Amino acid sequence: MTPGEFDIIRTYFTRPIQHSKTTRLSVGDDAAILRTPAGYDMAIAVDTLNAGVHFPLDTNPDDIGWKSLAVNLSDMAAMGATPAWFTLALSLPTVDAAWLEAFANGLFDLADRYQLDLIGGDTTRGPLSISIQIGGWVKRDMYLSRRGAQPGDRIYVSGTLGDAALALQLITTANSAVTEIDQQAVRQRLNRPTPRIELGQALVGIASACIDISDGLAADLGHILASSGCGARLSLTALPCSAELLRIETEQLRQLDHVLYGGDDYELCFTVPSQRVATFEQQCRQQQWPVSAIGEITTEPGLWLVNTAGIAERIAPQGYQHFVTKD
Amino acid sequence: MTPGEFDIIRTYFTRPIQHSKTTRLSVGDDAAILRTPAGYDMAIAVDTLNAGVHFPLDTNPDDIGWKSLAVNLSDMAAMGATPAWFTLALSLPTVDAAWLEAFANGLFDLADRYQLDLIGGDTTRGPLSISIQIGGWVKRDMYLSRRGAQPGDRIYVSGTLGDAALALQLITTANSAVTEIDQQAVRQRLNRPTPRIELGQALVGIASACIDISDGLAADLGHILASSGCGARLSLTALPCSAELLRIETEQLRQLDHVLYGGDDYELCFTVPSQRVATFEQQCRQQQWPVSAIGEITTEPGLWLVNTAGIAERIAPQGYQHFVTKD
């Protein structure tokens, strides 16, 4: 007999509750039972990865496991939450022991770094799809949201932008001029994004608004602007990109395209009120946080990019959106 | 332009928080923020429905919406929890406004009956799949689980069993002898199951173990037996089935097959310690709860069915399992 769903759950996904004293009941019942620590609220997010849509079909299963959780952890980072647990809804076309083992390895590799418990899930037959729900803790009402940016706030992003989109492009369009080392570096950004959990937590009480960049800087900063009811001016020269991106993509306009519209980077974009900027930037230097100031929130609506000549050009707050096709 | 995921979320799935004062932040940010009421724990469950696996491809979208939530509510019922919120991870192959509207109607029809808020989700492109995560409240440590059944406990089920499996059979194998009324009655059981929320809540402090019947009585009672480390004897004549099932399926062995092994009924199976049985059964009469005593928990392992002649036959604790195929 092929192993059934209960064998799969037992073999690959059942582990003793290791990390959290807040989990009262875990995998193996109709629901998990959780206790919220006194003085805390719970943050809840869900993200789905579908084969062929969110990752190329031939992606290594351990990378799929890692990334499925990473994109959810990134939502916790964007809220300034401390992740605590997750559930896994896994649809599989067939049972492939080697695939499942590698997937679970990648998943728990990342889970263990953040001391997360898998507290439940559902294993079903269907086209390959991974839907993870994550929960974490924030001190009462002390969370980051997309609202709250004010004119005059400085805009920051963590890390570098556009690498993941570039990696995806290299998969579909081979480029023999690219060195193996550079190719691996950007592919790592696509397949094994590092959620900015510690930075997100540190931003609580400092940032006025925060979002993680999953659809591209223009689109995700656009969400902050829409939620906060304001506009923004970005400085072209301040946009951070990696040495690999500059080497692989030498044409400036295409570099900019990746940086502004490329999704899947899972960096944070956030705003800091001007009166906190000096202290925050000092803290960044002390803690060696990889953040770049890229512009300023404005009263004037819209998203504007200021070039080296000081000329501002309006850019569309768009990025990857499921279903959108230009008819 | 085809509407994008953000249009879909705005048009069909964004509603003001109507019901719960515990939801601090809802749809439209990177995560929802929830406050647990003082003295309560949170129950969390997730269930996925895949097209062609969990429902026939031509199922009405409003029924799919209803059922996607109903199967999750049933998990809350099995825990004795009061459902409070849910998230929706929806994968769609294309954007079909009529489908989405009907799906949302069925979903919110049921959500409103239990005053549930949709607090977040993810809308992606992919084969049709609905993954709902549900959360609810239980008083601290006052929940029902699969463990806790003891020898001598009486075993009960709610409602009638086997109707949903019979409806599925009628879809694949037409039977002209079946009246339209009977066909509709059992199809309603398949497409619009009624989660036993109120009964589940009433069982807290009474039942020693509880599970909802999604994979079939034999399989799900089998989970209680495995978790509680005991066996059970069921009485053949006590197994409750509907008038429709008796009319449509006249062969006794096939009736039994549906009742024991048919999934998707979403009734509750639970055990009550002998010293509480008299009070509980009085309560059932007063409240007109539709429950049937079907057997007893035993020290002897295994699941046994006692026929009218008093002869016990061992039955396999099996039911529908994803992936299991007999090679």
Side-chain angles (χ1 to χ4, degrees):
Chain A
M1 299 228 310
T2 310
E5 57 180 305
F6 304 118
D7 301 307
I8 293 172
I9 295 166
R10 219 174 4 249
T11 309
Y12 301 104
F13 300 116
T14 305
R15 312 195 317 169
I17 292 295
Q18 297 171 62
H19 303 302
S20 176
K21 286 177 193 141
T22 58
T23 306
R24 312 289 293 176
L25 188 69
S26 180
V27 174
D29 220 297
D30 290 298
I33 301 285
L34 296 165
R35 179 155 304 167
T36 304
Y40 284 78
D41 289 334
M42 191 184 279
I44 301 248
V46 59
D47 263 315
T48 301
L49 265 59
N50 292 329
V53 177
H54 297 87
F55 54 85
L57 289 171
D58 61 351
T59 307
N60 288 334
D62 53 347
D63 287 338
I64 299 173
W66 173 288
K67 188 165 179 174
S68 304
L69 186 56
V71 301
N72 278 282
L73 279 166
S74 184
D75 284 325
M76 292 292 104
M79 302 302 287
T82 303
W85 55 265
F86 67 104
T87 63
L88 169 66
L90 178 63
S91 291
L92 295 169
T94 52
V95 179
D96 175 339
W99 191 97
L100 275 162
E101 200 177 324
F103 173 83
N105 275 346
L107 181 77
F108 287 119
D109 183 356
L110 185 57
D112 288 343
R113 288 176 199 221
Y114 293 97
Q115 305 189 303
L116 287 180
D117 285 313
L118 174 61
I119 61 163
D122 192 18
T123 308
T124 53
R125 189 161 52 81
L128 180 58
S129 173
I130 306 110
S131 192
I132 286 183
Q133 174 111 5
I134 195 163
W137 312 115
V138 294
K139 281 196 184 149
R140 287 200 159 194
D141 290 329
M142 295 295 283
Y143 56 85
L144 306 170
S145 85
R146 298 176 181 183
R147 317 169 195 177
Q150 297 277 348
D153 289 3
R154 193 163 290 186
I155 305 166
Y156 294 86
V157 291
S158 63
T160 59
L161 302 177
D163 298 317
L166 180 59
L168 200 59
Q169 179 189 293
L170 290 176
I171 288 171
T172 50
T173 319
N175 181 341
S176 59
V178 179
T179 67
E180 189 57 32
I181 287 179
D182 280 355
Q183 190 142 338
Q184 278 186 0
V186 294
R187 193 167 290 174
Q188 187 77 357
R189 292 294 311 273
L190 177 67
N191 290 334
R192 297 233 163 192
T194 305
R196 296 287 186 184
I197 294 291
E198 296 80 5
L199 178 61
Q201 289 167 350
L203 291 175
V204 177
I206 294 172
S208 50
C210 184
I211 195 168
D212 70 319
I213 302 177
S214 54
D215 298 322
L217 174 64
D220 289 315
L221 177 54
H223 290 310
I224 288 185
L225 302 183
S227 297
S228 303
C230 45
R233 284 168 80 92
L234 301 181
S235 161
L236 174 63
T237 52
L239 297 174
C241 44
S242 67
E244 291 83 5
L245 186 132
L246 293 176
R247 275 197 297 268
I248 297 172
E249 189 61 86
T250 49
E251 206 185 305
Q252 269 197 351
L253 269 179
R254 299 184 72 167
Q255 287 171 1
L256 188 60
D257 205 50
H258 288 311
V259 169
L260 284 177
Y261 302 114
D264 259 7
D265 282 319
Y266 302 100
E267 296 293 349
L268 295 182
C269 174
F270 55 97
T271 57
V272 175
S274 54
Q275 70 273 18
R276 294 186 202 140
V277 160
T279 316
F280 172 65
E281 295 203 342
Q282 197 180 10
Q283 216 175 342
C284 287
R285 283 188 295 273
Q286 280 167 357
Q287 306 283 338
Q288 299 190 296
W289 288 330
V291 302
S292 311
I294 60 167
E296 204 177 281
I297 297 292
T298 58
T299 314
E300 183 189 19
L303 183 56
W304 301 80
L305 186 65
V306 184
N307 67 17
T308 43
I311 297 167
E313 196 183 340
R314 187 158 184 172
I315 54 177
Q318 71 187 23
Y320 186 77
Q321 262 208 65
H322 288 278
F323 309 110
V324 172
T325 51
K326 286 171 187 137
D327 293 333
Chain B
M1 298 229 309
T2 310
E5 58 180 305
F6 304 120
D7 301 305
I8 294 173
I9 294 165
R10 217 172 7 248
T11 309
Y12 301 104
F13 300 116
T14 305
R15 312 196 314 171
I17 292 296
Q18 297 170 60
H19 302 302
S20 177
K21 288 178 192 137
T22 58
T23 307
R24 313 287 294 175
L25 188 70
S26 181
V27 174
D29 219 297
D30 290 298
I33 302 286
L34 296 165
R35 180 154 303 166
T36 304
Y40 285 78
D41 289 335
M42 192 183 278
I44 301 247
V46 59
D47 262 314
T48 301
L49 265 60
N50 292 329
V53 178
H54 297 87
F55 53 86
L57 290 172
D58 61 352
T59 306
N60 288 333
D62 53 347
D63 287 338
I64 298 173
W66 173 287
K67 187 164 178 174
S68 303
L69 186 55
V71 302
N72 279 282
L73 279 166
S74 184
D75 283 326
M76 292 291 102
M79 303 302 287
T82 303
W85 55 265
F86 66 105
T87 64
L88 169 67
L90 178 62
S91 292
L92 296 169
T94 53
V95 179
D96 175 339
W99 190 96
L100 275 162
E101 202 178 322
F103 174 82
N105 276 345
L107 182 76
F108 286 120
D109 183 356
L110 185 57
D112 288 342
R113 290 176 198 221
Y114 293 98
Q115 305 190 302
L116 289 179
D117 285 315
L118 174 61
I119 61 163
D122 192 18
T123 308
T124 53
R125 191 162 51 81
L128 179 59
S129 172
I130 306 111
S131 192
I132 286 183
Q133 175 111 2
I134 196 163
W137 312 115
V138 294
K139 281 195 183 150
R140 285 201 160 194
D141 289 330
M142 293 296 282
Y143 56 83
L144 305 169
S145 85
R146 299 177 180 182
R147 319 170 195 174
Q150 297 277 347
D153 288 3
R154 194 164 289 186
I155 305 167
Y156 294 87
V157 292
S158 63
T160 59
L161 302 176
D163 298 318
L166 180 58
L168 200 60
Q169 179 189 293
L170 290 176
I171 288 172
T172 49
T173 319
N175 181 343
S176 58
V178 179
T179 66
E180 189 56 32
I181 288 181
D182 279 355
Q183 192 142 337
Q184 277 186 2
V186 295
R187 194 169 289 174
Q188 187 77 356
R189 292 293 313 273
L190 176 67
N191 289 334
R192 295 231 164 194
T194 306
R196 297 285 186 186
I197 294 291
E198 296 79 4
L199 178 62
Q201 288 167 352
L203 291 176
V204 177
I206 294 173
S208 50
C210 185
I211 195 168
D212 71 319
I213 301 176
S214 54
D215 297 323
L217 173 64
D220 290 315
L221 176 54
H223 290 311
I224 288 185
L225 302 183
S227 296
S228 302
C230 44
R233 284 169 81 91
L234 302 181
S235 161
L236 174 62
T237 53
L239 298 174
C241 44
S242 68
E244 290 84 5
L245 186 132
L246 293 176
R247 275 197 297 269
I248 298 172
E249 189 61 87
T250 49
E251 207 185 305
Q252 270 197 351
L253 268 180
R254 299 182 72 168
Q255 287 171 2
L256 188 62
D257 205 49
H258 289 310
V259 169
L260 284 177
Y261 301 115
D264 258 6
D265 283 319
Y266 301 101
E267 297 293 349
L268 295 182
C269 174
F270 56 96
T271 57
V272 175
S274 54
Q275 70 274 16
R276 294 186 201 140
V277 160
T279 316
F280 172 64
E281 295 203 342
Q282 198 179 9
Q283 217 175 340
C284 288
R285 281 188 295 272
Q286 280 167 358
Q287 307 282 338
Q288 298 190 292
W289 287 331
V291 301
S292 311
I294 59 167
E296 205 177 283
I297 296 292
T298 58
T299 314
E300 184 189 16
L303 181 56
W304 301 80
L305 185 64
V306 183
N307 68 15
T308 43
I311 296 166
E313 196 183 339
R314 188 157 184 173
I315 55 179
Q318 71 188 23
Y320 186 79
Q321 261 209 67
H322 288 278
F323 309 110
V324 171
T325 49
K326 285 171 187 138
D327 293 333

